[in-house]
């Protein structure tokens, strides 16, 4: 984020708005907890399980925004499922959004989803996400026999701290976004959602083939 400000001469949030958010039509994505009462009333609450497995509601705050002016290159954006889906769709289509505007080159998307871990690094990451390596900020699918996923090699995405799930498949040009607001979540639900998507996709493909 700091480098972008130096290179562009713009605040990071302004650069994001001009080159990413507006081209994709992401109208409800911004930094920080909103001060507007209407927007604030639409913010999803966050929850966590305590040591006794009771559900506890967390305060509505963002620990990544240290001040009103701080705009992090790695965290702090507030968004909604509709906007997020537009972003993932652009990645699934080689960097071009539904608006027809390009935000990334196909080679940049390819670099994102290429595993960059080797040796001990890859072994350690496999303990966290079996069958996956790590690209540029994203997990990337390497081994279906270990992951239990029926998605293709190179399917990529990332998780949110409270269980949000993002998945991009360039091969089939599909994406999936799932949001929940519960900390201490079980990754199993994400695997089930992903495989349900591909089961439906395979069934649809087979039906078309028979026709």
């Amino acid at each position: 984020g700091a480098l972008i400000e130096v290179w562009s001469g713009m605040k990071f949030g302004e650069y994001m708005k001009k080159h990413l958010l507006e081209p994709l039509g992401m109208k409800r994505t911004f930094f920080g907890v909103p001060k507007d009462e209407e927007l604030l009333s639409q913010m999803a609450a966050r929850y966590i399980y305590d040591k006794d497995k009771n559900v506890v509601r967390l305060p509505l705050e963002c620990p990544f925004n240290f001040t009103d002016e701080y705009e992090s290159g790695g965290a702090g954006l507030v968004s909604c499922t509709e906007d997020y889906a537009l972003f993932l769709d652009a990645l699934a289509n080689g960097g071009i959004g539904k608006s027809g505007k390009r935000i990334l080159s196909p080679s940049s998307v390819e670099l994102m989803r290429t595993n960059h871990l080797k040796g001990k690094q890859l072994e350690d990451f496999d303990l966290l996400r079996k069958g996956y390596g790590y690209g540029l900020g994203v997990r990337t699918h390497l081994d279906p026999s270990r992951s239990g996923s029926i998605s293709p090699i190179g399917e990529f995405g990332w998780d949110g701290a409270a269980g949000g799930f993002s998945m991009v498949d360039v091969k089939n040009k599909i994406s999936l976004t799932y949001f929940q607001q519960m900390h201490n979540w079980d990754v199993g639900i994400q695997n089930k959602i992903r495989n349900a998507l591909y089961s439906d996709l395979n069934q649809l493909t087979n039906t078309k083939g028979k026709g």
Side-chain angles (χ1 to χ4, degrees), residues 73-91:
L77 277 176
V78 171
S79 190
C80 60
T81 51
E82 293 86 356
D83 276 13
Y84 218 63
L86 290 172
F87 175 59
L88 297 181
D89 180 72
L91 294 180

Side-chain angles (χ1 to χ4, degrees), residues 1-15:
L3 287 174
I4 286 175
E5 290 191 335
V6 171
W7 291 329
S8 69
M10 303 170 64
K11 286 192 64 176
F12 184 55
E14 294 172 353
Y15 184 91

Side-chain angles (χ1 to χ4, degrees), residues 6 9 16 38 45 61 98 103 105 108 121:
V6 171
M16 291 275 287
E38 183 178 355
E61 59 187 15
K98 287 187 175 181
I103 59 166
S105 67
S108 293
Q121 290 178 326

Side-chain angles (χ1 to χ4, degrees), residues 116-190:
H116 297 285
L117 302 183
K118 297 180 180 179
K120 180 62 175 172
Q121 290 178 326
L122 185 56
E123 290 178 17
D124 288 347
F125 190 77
D126 186 78
L127 296 175
L128 180 67
R129 288 290 179 274
K130 292 187 182 301
Y132 281 82
Y134 203 72
L136 300 183
V138 298
R139 64 172 185 274
T140 185
H141 196 198
L142 299 178
D143 187 351
S145 68
R146 288 189 58 74
S147 68
S149 174
I150 57 176
S151 61
I153 301 298
E155 166 261 305
F156 69 96
W158 55 93
D159 307 324
F165 176 65
S166 302
M167 190 213 80
V168 177
D169 176 356
V170 176
K171 179 181 178 182
N172 293 295
K173 295 186 177 181
I174 59 173
S175 61
L176 170 67
T177 184
Y178 161 77
F179 280 94
Q180 66 175 44
Q181 298 292 96
M182 175 61 75
H183 291 264
N184 295 346
W185 43 276
D186 180 1
V187 70
I189 189 172
Q190 299 183 344

